[in-house]
Amino acid sequence: MEPIFDVAVIGGGSAGFAAARTAAALGARTALVEGAERLGGLCILAGCMPTKALLEASRRWHAIREVDQFGLQAQPIRPDFPAIMARMHRLVSEFAADRQKELTQGDFQLIRAHASFLDPNQVALADPDGRKSFLRARAFVIAAGSRVSHPPLPELSEIGFWDSNTVLHQTQLPKSLIVLGGGPVAVEYAQFFARLGVDVRLVQRGPRLLKRFDSDLTGVLEEALRDEGIGLLTSASLVSASRSGEEKRLRLVQHGAVHELVAEEIFLAAGRTPALEGLHLPAAGIEIDGRAPLVDCHMRTSVPNLFAAGDFVGIEEIVHIAVLQGEVAGENAARLALGRGAPSRQMDYRLTMEVVFTEPELARLGLTEERAHQSSQPLLVARYRFADHGKALLRGTTRGFVKLLAEPERGELLGAGIVGPEASELIHELVALFSFHATAEDLAQLPHYHPTLSEILTYPAEEIARNVAVSQHQRTLPPSPHHRPSIP
């Protein structure tokens, strides 16, 4: 007789762990099914943590090379790529060990197996030794994650390429590298390798990098990457790929002109796709929209007792969003399975934020200026440059700016963008304010220590607050006598 659980979670990454932990805390008998060889999930094993470890190494190397502007002299040094990779692997192993402990000692049952649906309440399990079994549950949360997208050219598979998994197992720096893609993974790795002396060219199909950010922010990053010697080719379509000896060749078309790029290695960083394979979702009756399952605000799929979360649903492929989605899905699945009423907890994407850890860093929160213009939403927008800010000048990090978006009536903060030093940290002050529907005046009146980077946020807030005050004053003024209607 197969075991019957209240909630079964498929996938042990950030979303799956959050879902299982949440469901178990509500008293649901919970199972977490994970078939991957290593426990930990994408963020720990091949995403957030290893990339940030590598970026920190290249950031420090770059800083050492610029110490002369602070009146310092450094002894000749060189980057040690194997040592950089060894440090990254050690840190990843430590993070993974902590997560493995949480998964194996949690208040839920961990089952090491691949799952495939037989119907909405039952999955077939295949463990690493090939043994077959079955599992039934009143509700499921699918958090199976994502996989590297297929290459845009079949020839790439023939000549070989790196992806975000295989790049972590390299032991030698290539002399030259072509990066395909324009998202966070592409730009972060492009800068990492370029700073270690690799000749890097980045090829992007779209007209600019980081399409989820406003173009004024990404323009600053593009300028910085070019200044560091990275070749950027945007609006470029791949035509063919081939190999000649140790060299790999790409032919592409850009603005009607044909180009040929030659490099020692090619890094495919063109994104990820929800991992639907092997789950047999049609047997469960789940409706798929293109490449991902449809979910509502409760993270519920088209089948009432099946929920989904994380990269698997492809809404916002960001770890903290995956955790929130997992918690929402886990709570709602537990409520349903335990007979405590219909799903009630909802996702709120108003506070969606994203960070890119290049130098300069980029961060966005809430509404973007371009999205507001597309919907003709009225806005007040104010910017302030790091080049005009005292602490940034002291640090020698003056590239970029901060900007705030607010609605015109009260000045409530609706969106923010930062490109510049410590953007990943500065954005969190704004998250706290946005969560309480704060206005620009609220931010402007908060005391900030001087000199700090964070006080730069008050300057665009002051400008918006002044504009709101002027507008409110004008609305309260009596009509001008020159515009009073005449009396017949």
Side-chain angles (χ1 to χ4, degrees):
M1 184 71 178
E2 66 268 21
I4 299 178
F5 291 89
D6 296 316
V7 176
V9 179
I10 300 175
S14 298
F17 174 57
R21 181 180 57 189
T22 301
L26 292 173
R29 187 185 179 206
T30 304
L32 189 151
V33 181
E34 175 57 83
E37 182 179 349
R38 294 182 68 191
L39 292 175
L42 173 65
C43 174
I44 291 176
L45 298 179
C48 321
M49 307 313 285
T51 58
K52 305 314 168 280
L54 297 178
L55 286 168
E56 187 61 31
S58 67
R59 188 191 308 275
R60 294 192 181 215
W61 166 240
H62 187 73
I64 290 170
R65 296 172 64 188
E66 294 187 327
V67 295
D68 59 334
Q69 67 174 294
F70 295 94
L72 305 174
Q73 293 183 359
Q75 294 293 325
I77 62 171
R78 61 178 181 83
D80 185 340
F81 185 66
I84 291 172
M85 300 301 282
R87 175 180 182 270
M88 176 271 294
H89 285 300
R90 176 178 58 78
L91 289 169
V92 168
S93 295
E94 293 172 358
F95 294 137
D98 288 341
R99 176 54 53 86
Q100 290 163 13
K101 183 177 179 181
E102 292 173 319
L103 289 169
T104 55
Q105 298 181 8
D107 293 330
F108 47 83
Q109 182 176 338
L110 175 66
I111 300 174
R112 303 299 300 275
H114 291 281
S116 58
F117 279 95
L118 300 173
D119 59 51
N121 291 98
Q122 184 175 211
V123 293
L125 301 178
D127 70 17
D129 297 323
R131 291 187 294 262
K132 307 290 185 180
S133 60
F134 303 93
L135 180 150
R136 295 185 63 83
R138 296 181 175 86
F140 283 86
V141 177
I142 311 171
S146 61
R147 58 165 175 79
V148 174
S149 297
H150 293 306
L153 293 174
E155 303 99 294
L156 285 171
S157 297
E158 298 171 7
I159 67 174
F161 60 87
W162 294 352
D163 60 31
S164 56
N165 295 322
T166 59
V167 69
L168 299 177
H169 301 287
Q170 304 308 314
T171 57
Q172 290 184 331
L173 283 172
K175 294 183 176 63
S176 53
L177 179 68
I178 299 171
V179 179
L180 302 179
V185 172
V187 296
E188 288 178 359
Y189 271 111
Q191 188 174 59
F192 167 73
F193 281 107
R195 287 185 164 185
L196 296 184
V198 178
D199 177 17
V200 176
R201 280 157 294 176
L202 190 150
V203 179
Q204 160 68 346
R205 181 175 56 185
R208 62 181 177 87
L209 305 179
L210 302 173
K211 63 183 179 181
R212 293 197 296 260
F213 287 77
D214 283 332
S215 59
D216 56 350
L217 299 169
T218 60
V220 175
L221 175 62
E222 290 179 10
E223 180 184 55
L225 295 180
R226 288 192 175 97
D227 286 349
E228 292 189 21
I230 298 173
L232 300 183
L233 292 89
T234 56
S235 300
S237 300
L238 299 181
V239 176
S240 64
S242 61
R243 185 172 194 139
S244 176
E246 296 299 317
E247 294 180 337
K248 298 179 181 181
R249 298 175 180 270
L250 281 180
R251 286 173 63 85
L252 55 90
V253 175
Q254 183 189 44
H255 306 306
V258 178
H259 301 270
E260 183 172 271
L261 303 182
V262 180
E264 185 177 330
E265 290 293 349
I266 296 173
F267 180 15
L268 177 61
R272 301 181 67 87
T273 300
L276 308 183
E277 297 84 358
L279 288 170
H280 295 170
L281 296 182
I286 293 177
E287 185 178 351
I288 304 297
D289 180 20
R291 66 189 189 101
L294 285 169
V295 292
D296 62 14
C297 61
H298 304 292
M299 304 311 298
R300 196 180 207 174
T301 71
S302 56
V303 181
N305 70 312
L306 302 182
F307 299 78
D311 284 3
F312 186 72
V313 299
I315 295 175
E316 289 280 354
E317 296 162 340
I318 304 169
V319 172
H320 76 280
I321 296 294
V323 171
L324 290 173
Q325 290 174 340
E327 291 173 348
V328 169
E331 179 174 328
N332 288 331
R335 285 176 53 85
L336 183 69
L338 296 172
R340 297 177 183 173
S344 58
R345 186 171 174 182
Q346 299 184 23
M347 278 298 299
D348 178 9
Y349 294 102
R350 184 176 64 89
L351 300 180
T352 294
M353 127 183 88
E354 183 175 9
V355 172
V356 178
F357 291 86
T358 48
E359 195 169 23
E361 292 183 343
L362 288 89
R364 65 175 177 92
L365 169 64
L367 185 67
T368 64
E369 190 173 0
E370 290 170 5
R371 199 185 317 151
H373 288 328
Q374 290 169 3
S375 60
S376 300
Q377 181 172 350
L379 274 183
L380 290 176
V381 182
R383 296 170 176 80
Y384 198 89
R385 303 188 312 156
F386 282 101
D388 297 325
H389 185 54
K391 185 59 181 287
L393 289 164
L394 296 173
R395 289 167 47 110
T397 52
T398 57
R399 194 188 297 265
F401 62 91
V402 300
K403 74 171 176 178
L404 298 177
L405 286 62
E407 58 83 24
E409 294 294 319
R410 292 180 51 249
E412 180 180 337
L413 298 170
L414 301 178
I418 306 175
V419 54
E422 306 292 349
S424 59
E425 304 295 337
L426 294 176
I427 200 71
H428 286 84
E429 175 178 354
L430 297 176
V431 174
L433 291 166
F434 277 45
S435 68
F436 294 104
H437 297 271
T439 65
E441 184 177 7
D442 293 330
L443 172 54
Q445 291 181 349
L446 285 176
H448 285 72
Y449 205 88
H450 174 77
T452 60
L453 280 180
S454 60
E455 63 182 333
I456 194 174
L457 299 173
T458 64
Y459 304 136
E462 290 171 355
E463 180 181 336
I464 290 175
R466 285 194 298 270
N467 290 335
V468 170
V470 169
S471 178
Q472 290 175 342
H473 177 70
Q474 289 175 342
R475 288 197 298 270
T476 60
L477 289 175
S480 169
H482 303 293
H483 293 90
R484 288 176 182 167
S486 59
I487 300 175

